[in-house]
């Protein structure tokens, strides 16, 4: 019987199909209320499209509809993955099953158990975490068990209303094409949900379900220990530096505590108010470590205890924010992802050569997303190879693994959004191992009377001051986004890109979405010689245009894969030997960028929210 009678045939079909599938009383009632109150526009947004696997898997608001996160979407997604695995994975992988983890958000545990029920119903074993876990442990566990796939239920740093679903392939890296598209196609063939899949009351007692928490954690800690040189372990013990740590109401505390002990580091001082998982994130508006408010309690705790180093994970512990108190200025230095990428890249490359002094620079690789700073390229020159990928660690992880297949050594990967891969044994961003490496680097520097800030200044002196200014606008209207990029592509007339924006003459435009570079670039870029970067194929992840200017400015404008954001990234390289000169350059860059962005994006005219 048809329940929805909106007058729109497609909408009625989609909503009635939903009601046929949904046995969750809460989301079912939400749809019935929407029908009763004729909320047709809302239903069109939630029912007529499905989420695609973006830069971080599926992610959306919890609620009813195919664009949201709910039982129906999770069950259908799990059914699609299960069916796909049975078609393409080898018998050993299927026998080894899948790994399933979850964070501390509302519904995460339920979504993990629904996923588990789908797989055991097809006689596929599941290694299921019995408690919340960091996202990188699912990547690690997938490789460890030789599993067919891994699933992590998390929305990482998104608002509390959201949840998400991250899928790892058998290589331990997030899925990319063709698997993501093929799984979406498979989901459409698996929309019917058997009644049995809704019953998760006895799922953890099933003979095919194994609690993997202790085993994966122990092996992960052994990897942490193995990743550090003996000298580093000794320095960590001797320096015994104090660190204030916050889990941001997420999953990181117990794991970071164990990792620090394993690395010979002094136990971190926890920010108690944010130590335990809390899906309502009561002390922060937005649990993203890039937001300054998220470091406030940590800095307060550190000041009270006289501690100079602060480390903050995001709620699923795959990213890391770092702040250090500068005694000379009596103020906190919050390191950007680009600055920490330079420091960690330098540190891990130095450590690699310490372990293997005869290493061949041709075989060592560091990887960055294309919107991240190019400072690491300068640091690596002559010591290794620098490769760029599309944004999203799914590209950096898969690129790293392809390099390993060619007997190359990926030493480090990073993205400016505070994501760091410190070892290819976890081919994804990992905030736990990154916390250990930052604390170890700080211990090493402290033993020499230095700090993270002073080491960064040394790098600037040697490789040039790389100053960035990155930000975003919120835009909820796809038509506005289309209008903005249509204008960019016809700036000087039909098919003519900008020749001047603000005070900058534009020397090159690379429009990744349209596949146009003007004037054409020489095909010598490193990423074009390395497979799996995402830049070696057509760009299908929204809008992205990059500009090179005669002032030395580089700028990139792109749409986010997970949020309604129009992001921009800029960088300028110059000589600036003192902190005051650097601050002056920061202000100058901000001024240049503001004019550039105002003219290019017209935020006021387009109603963009800054």
């Amino acid at each position: 019987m048809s329940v929805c009678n909106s007058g729109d045939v497609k909408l009625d079909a989609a909503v009635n199909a939903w009601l046929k599938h949904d046995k969750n009383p809460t989301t079912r009632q939400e749809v019935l209320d929407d029908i009763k109150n004729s909320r047709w526009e809302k239903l069109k947004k939630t029912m007529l499209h499905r989420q695609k696997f973006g830069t971080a898997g599926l992610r959306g608001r919890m609620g009813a509809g195919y664009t949201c996160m709910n039982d129906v979407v999770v069950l259908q997604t799990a059914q699609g993955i299960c069916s796909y695995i049975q078609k393409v994975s080898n018998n050993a992988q299927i026998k080894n099953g899948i790994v399933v983890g979850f964070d501390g958000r509302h519904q995460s545990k339920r979504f993990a158990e629904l996923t588990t029920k789908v797989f055991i119903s097809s006689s596929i074993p599941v290694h299921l975490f019995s408690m919340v876990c960091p996202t990188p442990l699912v990547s690690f566990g997938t490789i460890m068990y030789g599993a067919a796939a891994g699933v992590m239920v998390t929305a990482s740093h998104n608002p509390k209303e959201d949840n998400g679903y991250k899928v790892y392939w058998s290589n331990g890296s997030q899925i990319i094409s063709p698997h993501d598209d093929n799984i979406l196609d498979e989901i459409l063939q698996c929309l019917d949900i058997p009644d049995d899949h809704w019953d998760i009351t006895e799922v953890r007692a099933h003979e095919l379900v194994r609690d993997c928490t202790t085993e994966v954690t122990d092996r992960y800690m052994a990897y942490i220990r193995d990743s550090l040189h003996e000298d580093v372990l000794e320095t960590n013990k001797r320096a015994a530096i104090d660190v204030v740590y916050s889990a941001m109401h997420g999953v990181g505390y117990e794991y970071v505590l164990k990792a620090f002990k394993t690395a010979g580091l002094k136990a971190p001082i926890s920010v108690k108010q944010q130590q335990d998982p809390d899906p309502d994130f009561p002390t922060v508006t937005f649990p993203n470590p890039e937001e300054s408010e998220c470091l406030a309690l940590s800095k307060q705790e550190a000041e009270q205890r006289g501690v100079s180093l602060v480390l903050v994970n995001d709620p699923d512990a795959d990213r890391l924010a770092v702040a250090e108190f500068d005694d000379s200025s009596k103020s906190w230095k919050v390191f950007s992802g680009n600055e920490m990428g330079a420091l960690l890249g330098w540190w891990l490359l130095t450590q690699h050569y310490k372990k293997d002094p005869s290493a061949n620079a041709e075989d060592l690789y560091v990887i960055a997303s294309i919107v991240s700073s190019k400072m690491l390229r300068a640091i690596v020159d002559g010591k290794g190879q620098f490769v760029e990928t599309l944004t999203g660690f799914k590209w950096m992880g898969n690129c790293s693994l392809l390099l390993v297949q060619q007997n190359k050594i990926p030493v480090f990967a990073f993205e400016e959004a505070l994501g760091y891969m410190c070892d290819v044994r976890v081919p994804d961003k990992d905030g736990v191992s990154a916390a250990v490496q930052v604390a170890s680097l700080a211990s090493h520097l402290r033993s020499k009377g230095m700090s993270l800030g002073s080491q960064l200044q040394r790098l600037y002196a040697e490789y040039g001051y790389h100053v960035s200014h990155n930000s975003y606008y919120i835009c909820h209207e796809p038509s506005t986004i289309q209008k903005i990029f249509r204008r960019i592509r016809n700036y000087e007339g039909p098919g003519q890109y900008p020749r001047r924006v603000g005070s900058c003459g534009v020397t090159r435009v690379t429009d990744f979405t349209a596949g146009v570079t003007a004037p054409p670039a020489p095909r010598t870029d490193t990423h074009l010689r390395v497979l799996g970067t995402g830049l070696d194929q057509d760009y299908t992840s929204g809008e992205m245009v990059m500009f090179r200017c005669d002032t030395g400015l580089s700028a990139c404008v792109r749409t986010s894969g997970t949020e309604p954001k129009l992001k921009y990234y800029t960088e300028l390289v110059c000589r600036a030997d003192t902190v005051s000169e650097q601050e002056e350059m920061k202000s100058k860059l901000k001024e240049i960028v503001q004019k550039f962005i105002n003219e290019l994006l017209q935020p006021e005219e387009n109603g963009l929210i800054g």
Side-chain angles (χ1 to χ4, degrees):
M1 184 183 76
S2 178
V3 177
C4 184
N5 294 292
S6 67
D8 182 321
V9 176
K10 277 182 73 175
L11 180 61
D12 290 348
V15 173
N16 289 323
W18 175 276
L19 290 169
K20 175 187 158 195
H21 297 312
D22 194 4
K23 293 186 185 302
N24 182 303
T26 304
T27 47
R28 184 178 180 83
Q29 190 59 50
E30 181 186 332
V31 175
L32 292 173
D33 288 346
D34 287 342
I35 294 168
K36 182 181 176 182
N37 292 290
S38 302
R39 297 187 188 115
W40 308 129
E41 289 307 311
K42 178 195 171 189
L43 286 168
K44 283 177 184 176
K45 284 182 179 177
T46 58
M47 292 292 182
L48 292 181
H49 307 281
R50 293 193 82 90
Q51 285 192 65
K52 291 188 175 182
F53 289 100
T55 53
L58 303 178
R59 209 177 276 185
R61 181 183 61 80
M62 284 179 276
Y66 298 110
T67 59
C68 300
M69 292 301 300
N70 48 66
D71 290 358
V72 170
V73 165
V74 166
L75 284 166
Q76 290 177 337
T77 301
Q79 288 170 181
I81 297 167
C82 184
S83 177
Y84 184 65
I85 281 171
Q86 288 172 306
K87 289 180 179 178
V88 304
S89 299
N90 63 47
N91 289 335
Q93 289 168 338
I94 293 171
K95 187 179 176 185
N96 291 336
I98 70 161
V99 177
V100 178
F102 57 95
D103 69 9
R105 286 177 179 266
H106 292 295
Q107 304 301 321
S108 286
K109 183 180 179 186
R110 175 175 175 80
F111 291 166
E113 291 178 349
L114 286 169
T115 298
T116 299
K117 184 57 180 284
V118 169
F119 280 85
I120 60 175
S121 296
S122 288
S123 301
I124 295 175
V126 178
H127 304 276
L128 177 63
F129 280 83
S130 58
M131 57 183 279
V132 295
C133 72
T135 291
L137 265 73
V138 174
S139 166
F140 183 82
T142 301
I143 298 170
M144 172 181 152
Y145 288 118
V151 170
M152 177 67 187
V153 181
T154 180
S156 190
H157 58 276
N158 273 39
K160 64 185 179 183
E161 295 81 12
D162 291 5
N163 214 321
Y165 203 83
K166 191 174 278 192
V167 182
Y168 293 92
W169 199 236
S170 56
N171 61 3
S173 190
Q174 292 176 58
I175 55 170
I176 56 171
S177 182
H179 299 308
D180 51 3
D181 293 331
N182 291 345
I183 288 171
L184 284 171
D185 289 342
E186 199 67 32
I187 290 168
L188 296 178
Q189 308 304 314
C190 303
L191 298 179
D192 288 333
I193 303 170
D195 288 347
D196 179 54
H197 285 179
W198 288 93
D199 182 7
I200 55 173
T201 49
E202 300 294 325
V203 70
R204 288 181 179 272
H206 195 279
E207 61 182 3
L208 289 174
V209 177
R210 184 174 167 212
D211 177 5
C212 65
T213 312
T214 301
E215 191 171 39
V216 173
T217 303
D218 288 350
R219 288 277 289 276
Y220 177 86
M221 295 306 159
Y223 138 68
I224 290 285
R225 166 68 181 75
D226 184 57
S227 69
L228 298 169
H229 193 282
E230 289 294 337
D231 290 351
V232 173
L233 292 165
E234 187 54 43
T235 301
N236 286 350
K237 287 176 189 168
R238 196 169 58 247
I241 66 168
D242 285 315
V243 176
V244 165
Y245 169 78
S246 170
M248 188 90 72
H249 303 296
V251 303
Y253 175 68
E254 295 293 338
Y255 295 89
V256 166
L257 196 65
K258 286 178 182 172
F260 267 47
K261 185 177 181 181
T262 301
L265 291 159
K266 193 174 177 182
I269 299 163
S270 175
V271 178
K272 299 286 191 203
Q273 305 98 305
Q274 299 176 330
Q275 178 174 300
D276 300 321
D278 187 331
D280 292 318
F281 306 110
T283 66
V284 291
T285 310
F286 188 49
N288 183 342
E290 292 176 280
E291 304 288 338
S292 58
E293 67 153 351
C294 293
L295 277 69
L297 283 175
S298 300
K299 290 193 284 189
Q300 185 180 312
E301 181 79 26
E303 285 168 8
Q304 288 172 356
R305 291 175 174 264
V307 175
S308 62
L309 183 60
V310 158
L311 303 176
V312 179
N313 278 141
D314 63 346
D316 68 325
D318 67 346
R319 298 197 303 159
L320 179 75
V322 181
E324 182 182 63
F325 192 77
D326 181 357
D327 284 326
S328 60
S329 66
K330 301 299 177 191
S331 63
W332 285 96
K333 161 71 177 171
V334 179
F335 293 88
S336 70
N338 284 330
E339 291 169 331
M340 195 47 62
L343 281 166
L344 278 174
W346 169 83
W347 167 246
L348 288 166
L349 202 59
T350 302
Q351 289 303 301
H352 188 87
Y353 275 109
K354 191 171 184 178
K355 285 181 177 179
D356 183 8
S358 61
N360 185 348
E362 292 294 315
D363 295 334
L364 304 184
Y365 281 75
V366 297
I367 301 162
S369 69
I370 196 163
V371 298
S372 299
S373 171
K374 307 298 182 276
M375 186 171 176
L376 200 51
R377 186 206 298 268
I379 293 172
V380 167
D381 189 29
K383 307 180 192 76
Q385 310 301 310
F386 179 79
V387 176
E388 292 179 309
T389 74
L390 281 184
T391 54
F393 249 91
K394 64 181 184 180
W395 296 109
M396 284 174 268
N398 278 286
C399 178
S400 299
L401 293 165
L402 286 170
L403 287 168
V404 170
Q405 289 176 18
Q406 299 164 46
N407 297 315
K408 305 298 184 185
I409 302 169
V411 176
F412 176 65
F414 90 100
E415 63 181 0
E416 51 74 41
L418 308 182
Y420 314 103
M421 181 195 87
C422 298
D423 194 297
V424 74
R425 283 174 283 187
V426 182
D428 196 11
K429 57 182 177 284
D430 182 353
V432 178
S433 65
V436 166
Q437 291 293 352
V438 171
S440 298
L441 170 57
S443 298
H444 165 79
L445 293 169
R446 185 81 57 88
S447 71
K448 296 180 178 300
M450 293 174 63
S451 64
L452 294 172
S454 62
Q455 176 58 27
L456 184 62
Q457 289 301 329
R458 279 192 171 191
L459 294 177
Y460 282 147
E462 188 170 353
Y463 301 107
Y465 181 53
H466 290 61
V467 56
S468 299
H469 178 61
N470 305 335
S471 193
Y472 62 84
Y473 289 103
I474 292 172
C475 181
H476 293 284
E477 296 301 325
S479 59
T480 302
I481 297 288
Q482 290 165 14
K483 175 187 164 189
I484 288 168
F485 282 92
R486 189 164 56 243
R487 177 172 172 267
I488 290 171
R489 293 180 180 115
N490 299 281
Y491 206 87
E492 310 278 355
Q496 298 295 308
Y497 289 87
R499 290 193 287 271
R500 176 165 287 278
V501 181
S503 59
C504 305
V506 177
T507 57
R508 170 161 285 136
V509 177
T510 304
D511 185 341
F512 291 89
T513 307
V516 172
T517 300
R523 295 184 67 81
T524 55
D525 290 348
T526 311
H527 65 254
L528 294 170
R529 293 185 274 113
V530 178
L531 295 175
T533 62
L535 295 166
D536 54 346
Q537 56 190 261
D538 291 341
Y539 185 75
T540 58
S541 302
E543 300 281 5
M544 183 161 76
V545 182
M546 189 167 277
F547 303 86
R548 299 274 184 259
C549 302
D550 55 9
T551 55
L553 177 76
S554 62
C556 179
V557 181
R558 63 177 277 264
T559 50
S560 169
T562 58
E563 301 163 291
K565 288 180 178 178
L566 186 53
K567 297 185 172 185
Y568 59 89
Y569 310 80
T570 65
E571 185 171 51
L572 196 61
V573 185
C574 58
R575 296 301 323 176
D577 298 326
T578 66
V579 173
S580 62
E581 286 175 342
Q582 290 167 8
E583 288 303 318
E584 194 179 318
M585 282 308 303
K586 266 187 197 172
S587 298
K588 187 177 175 183
L589 176 64
K590 199 170 181 179
E591 195 178 302
I592 292 169
V593 169
Q594 207 56 62
K595 288 178 182 173
F596 189 97
I597 292 299
N598 282 347
E599 198 169 309
L600 191 72
L601 303 183
Q602 299 180 307
E604 278 193 32
E605 294 92 322
N606 290 308
L608 304 181
I609 304 165

